[in-house]
Amino acid sequence: MTTDQGNEPQVPRRRLGAAGPEVPVFGLGSWNTWDRMETDDAVELVRVAVGRGVNLFDVAHYNFGPHAENAVTDIIFGKVVREAGLRREDYLLCGKLWLWDYPKVSFAEQIEVSLERIGTDRADFVVAGDFFGELDIRSVVTDASELVRAGRFDAWGVNNWSAADLWLARDFALAEGMTPPSFAQLKYSLARRSVPEGEPYGRLFDEAGLGLQASDVFEGGILAGKLNPERKIGADPGGIRERIRAAYPAVERAAERFGATPAQLAIAYCLTHRAVGNVLFGASRMSQFDDNLGALDLLARHGDELREAVADLWIDRDVVRPEASWGTD
């Protein structure tokens, strides 16, 4: 880690795609996070995180499709940032543009509402979210590019798209002089590797310079030891969640071999991927945040050994097709 002028150890930064933004290797997610914390605790966590260089926050308006929860976690985040005394230039904001009700609910309308709820006028970059079935990808590219030109954000990526759809988006954008997606936010963990490590996305990483933002790295907390999460957690492509839960003792043993916690192992593993610019995780307690930062030391000490140590924990191998999006098996 580097050190800033206040002598606080700073997490490293990587570029999120060859043409994407420079970001800290860790980012804090918002889903079922800020609304589970006392305000004072959240303010302290945000201050400490930004002080350590973890100044990327993934914040969404959860009120679309399966996320039609009328959640207020984004509103709470805006309040916490203000109470922490942060200026807008002190942090990076990654927003979401949902495709569930698109184009009925336009991107322009979505970003306007989302930013207003947080209390700012711009994001730094956004992710065009999940979709099933048919999608006019050219319209998505056009509408996202228009918002880049309008100054609402500087870059964009996609969330759990298939590699083929992402190639189409990229090629159309470049052919039309528009802003192409520069990264993909994918479900990626010790257990779920088929899509991020498969050949179709591998070509995008190697030939197109696409960046990878790892999400759901703890499987809703299971890979960090919370075997029966009480909160709502992400989708279960391939129906393998029970197998992941049953494999947790093996995760513990692998972590113990390196003198690390399971959470640190889960994060460090993702950081070994050549295209990963950023790992997202939720932390609702300072102790969780501090523990997660220990993944950097684990990576520095044992990076080359981690993949071999957890080879047998690849649970979605031969279950989820590498060319698929997260919603298909």
Side-chain angles (χ1 to χ4, degrees):
M1 294 189 208
T2 59
T3 302
D4 69 3
Q5 293 180 347
N7 295 320
E8 287 290 338
Q10 300 286 288
V11 303
R13 301 179 81 83
R14 296 179 178 179
R15 193 160 292 282
L16 189 54
E22 185 180 78
V23 296
V25 294
F26 298 147
L28 291 176
S30 65
W31 191 39
N32 291 307
T33 299
W34 307 113
D35 48 358
R36 292 188 295 132
M37 300 180 69
E38 296 294 333
T39 300
D40 289 347
D41 294 336
V43 169
E44 181 187 10
L45 178 59
V46 165
R47 282 177 177 159
V48 170
V50 172
R52 297 294 299 272
V54 183
N55 67 336
L56 168 60
F57 299 94
D58 181 89
V59 183
H61 177 201
Y62 293 106
N63 202 31
F64 293 91
H67 295 310
E69 305 161 0
N70 198 26
V72 295
T73 186
D74 52 338
I75 295 175
I76 295 171
F77 169 77
K79 176 183 177 182
V80 167
V81 165
R82 290 188 292 274
E83 293 197 12
L86 296 183
R87 302 165 300 173
R88 181 60 186 84
E89 58 267 31
D90 293 331
Y91 67 94
L92 298 171
L93 177 63
C94 178
K96 281 284 201 309
L97 297 174
W98 299 108
L99 294 168
W100 304 106
D101 296 325
Y102 172 87
K104 181 180 178 181
V105 182
S106 71
F107 284 169
E109 180 180 352
Q110 288 189 46
I111 198 69
E112 182 71 26
V113 172
S114 180
L115 294 177
E116 182 179 356
R117 285 168 63 91
I118 295 169
T120 186
D121 62 354
R122 64 180 177 86
D124 292 282
F125 43 97
V126 300
V127 178
D130 314 319
F131 72 92
F132 294 115
E134 298 299 320
L135 176 69
D136 187 343
I137 292 174
R138 293 172 178 82
S139 290
V140 170
V141 172
T142 301
D143 291 347
S145 297
E146 285 294 331
L147 290 172
V148 170
R149 280 193 284 269
R152 304 318 300 267
F153 46 83
D154 298 324
W156 69 286
V158 304
N159 178 238
N160 295 320
W161 286 25
S162 72
D165 288 334
L166 189 47
W167 272 114
L168 175 58
R170 174 185 178 274
D171 289 348
F172 174 73
L174 293 177
E176 298 297 325
M178 298 179 182
T179 304
S182 56
F183 67 96
Q185 185 184 101
L186 300 176
K187 292 173 76 77
Y188 185 36
S189 70
L190 297 170
R192 299 188 188 272
R193 313 178 194 175
S194 292
V195 174
E197 296 188 6
E199 187 275 336
Y201 256 100
R203 287 187 56 234
L204 278 163
F205 300 140
D206 296 336
E207 298 176 22
L210 190 79
L212 173 57
Q213 186 175 60
S215 69
D216 207 9
V217 300
F218 296 146
E219 190 72 17
I222 293 172
L223 291 172
K226 297 179 181 178
L227 300 186
N228 297 287
E230 296 180 358
R231 65 179 179 85
K232 183 178 179 180
I233 62 177
D236 181 15
I240 62 172
R241 185 155 292 147
E242 287 304 314
R243 291 176 57 193
I244 295 175
R245 187 176 285 112
Y248 178 71
V251 177
E252 279 190 309
R253 290 192 295 272
E256 289 172 358
R257 170 181 165 185
F258 297 114
T261 65
Q264 290 168 351
L265 177 62
I267 294 171
Y269 175 83
C270 292
L271 287 172
T272 66
H273 192 295
R274 66 192 184 282
V276 165
N278 175 257
V279 174
L280 293 175
F281 57 76
S284 57
R285 296 193 305 275
M286 188 65 70
S287 59
Q288 291 176 332
F289 178 77
D290 289 338
D291 182 68
N292 291 351
L293 290 190
L296 294 172
D297 181 61
L298 174 62
L299 182 69
R301 290 185 292 114
H302 299 290
D304 293 340
E305 307 168 57
L306 297 180
R307 287 187 166 267
E308 181 180 353
V310 299
D312 293 338
L313 294 172
W314 182 353
I315 295 175
D316 75 343
R317 178 167 25 194
D318 301 323
V319 176
V320 173
R321 294 179 289 108
E323 69 273 18
S325 67
W326 70 274
T328 54
D329 55 22

